[in-house]
Amino acid sequence: MSIDKTSETPEGAVENPEAAAKAVTVVDPRLLVREQGLAGYVGEFKRKIKAGDLGSIPVVLGLVVIWAIFATLNSNFLTAGNLSDISVAMVGTGMIAVGIVFVLLLGEIDLSVGSLSGVAGASFAVLSVTHGMNEWLAFILAILTGTVAGAIQGFFFARIGVPAFAVTLAGLLFWNGLMLQILGSNGTINLDSEGVVAKLTSYYFTDVAAAYVLAVVVTAGFFISSYLGNRRREAAGVPSRPLSETIARTVLLAILAFAVAIVYNQYKGLPLAVVIFIAVLLLTDFVLRRTAYGRKIFALGGSVEASRRAGINVELIRISVFSISGTFAAIGGLFIASKIASANQGAGAGDLLMNAIAAAVIGGTSLFGGRGRTWNALLGVLVIVSIQYGLALEGIASPVQYMITGGVLLATVVIDAVTRKTQKTAGRA
């Protein structure tokens, strides 16, 4: 038996040097950015575009275009007063959209949030005005009505197995009927203009320092969070963003934050509603991205069966998410009641439900689950309210507003679907 000596390969030698030379080494894009500087950023951007990882780019560009168009049509659109009014008006719908983001991350939908917002407003008005209950206690109980209602719907979906669409559609009708029953034959209850709920949208921090302090806090918080996050990645041997990029992003955020502060100080000051909304976005973003609970929500949106096999309590997560959606629907309803200083039979009706869902989707949350952030609610609702205010300045009727908002929503869903296909082609989905 002869042995072919040519087949032997010395230890550490490459058996096929030509194939090895042609092999492509997979390098983390963040390492390329660090090594190549500006060229690395450009290359990373191109890779993201090819892979369909557009992020918030489409909605930001769309918002810029919308503002440019309306500023051209009407010089009052970009005035400090109008921009401040837009930011306050968006909070009610934005709060509801935050809850919708949680549900969409599961790949589900909640059609009851509009009606639940109306129930919360009606409950507060009846408890505090009609029955003279302490406003803070009535405020808390009104929010809990949304929490409990959402948990009930989540139970039917998670434990009984009824599709979320059917459960929340039934909820839309049931909670709307409950709201009408609570308000009674009168149909409208005016709120105390100096009360807790009324102050949610009417109170402004008139001291010019307030807006600037908030800008400093947001900017500093972003830098500290990014810097510490990069340090943790470096300590764990995981590729991280270079310090130069963190500084550049912080500078851009600072410019934006102080520009907004200047605008607010040219009008009435910093709105309390905006401060609360930003705090909610920061908190919910932390929960989704930095906690085990948030990771379970993303995992469940990616694959229910894989999540179950990984030991995740699918039923509990589903019930909790719908409870969160109901909670934010109630909070949004109180902000809406604050804006009109009353609770009436029209609360939660009209285009509120569609605007809340559209805000989450337009902002970048995927309808297919597993992708999105609560900051998407801010971007999406800002687009919708900007369109509404811009068209109102031009005296354009509501039907046209609906058609334009619907067109923007369709374009966003198309982008989402195309992006998903691109990601599958690139092997990222």
Side-chain angles (χ1 to χ4, degrees), residues 33-250:
V33 168
R34 180 182 297 170
E35 294 170 359
Q36 299 177 2
L38 181 59
Y41 286 105
V42 175
E44 183 185 14
F45 178 76
K46 290 180 179 179
R47 281 190 296 274
K48 285 185 175 182
I49 295 299
K50 289 180 181 179
D53 187 9
L54 300 177
S56 300
I57 294 176
V59 66
V60 172
L61 293 178
L63 184 62
V64 171
V65 171
I66 290 170
W67 281 20
I69 291 174
F70 286 128
T72 303
L73 294 175
N74 195 312
S75 59
N76 291 324
F77 182 79
L78 291 182
T79 59
N82 190 61
L83 292 178
S84 180
D85 290 343
I86 287 175
S87 67
V88 173
M90 74 180 185
V91 173
T93 305
M95 287 290 190
I96 300 174
V98 169
I100 290 292
V101 168
F102 277 81
V103 177
L104 289 179
L105 287 175
L106 296 182
E108 302 296 339
I109 194 68
D110 188 349
L111 301 178
S112 67
V113 290
S115 296
L116 281 178
S117 69
V119 170
S123 299
F124 174 82
V126 169
L127 291 173
S128 64
V129 178
T130 305
H131 296 291
M133 179 181 289
N134 177 272
E135 283 200 336
W136 281 108
L137 179 58
F139 184 82
I140 294 173
L141 291 177
I143 293 176
L144 289 178
T145 59
T147 306
V148 173
I152 292 172
Q153 294 178 155
F155 173 82
F156 281 103
F157 167 58
R159 295 296 298 271
I160 308 301
V162 183
F165 178 89
V167 172
T168 57
L169 179 60
L172 181 154
L173 299 173
F174 181 86
W175 305 123
N176 185 63
L178 179 61
M179 178 194 69
L180 298 177
Q181 182 68 30
I182 292 174
L183 289 175
S185 57
N186 185 33
T188 300
I189 300 177
N190 294 323
L191 302 179
D192 179 7
S193 60
E194 297 298 321
V196 173
V197 169
K199 289 291 185 180
L200 289 176
T201 56
S202 65
Y203 186 82
Y204 290 77
F205 297 97
T206 55
D207 191 336
V208 294
Y212 294 125
V213 168
L214 180 62
V216 171
V217 170
V218 170
T219 304
F222 173 81
F223 176 78
I224 294 173
S225 175
S226 300
Y227 179 75
L228 294 179
N230 288 333
R231 290 290 298 273
R232 286 194 298 269
R233 293 186 182 95
E234 291 175 359
V238 179
S240 61
R241 296 290 184 189
L243 180 60
S244 59
E245 179 180 348
T246 301
I247 294 175
R249 291 188 175 194
T250 303

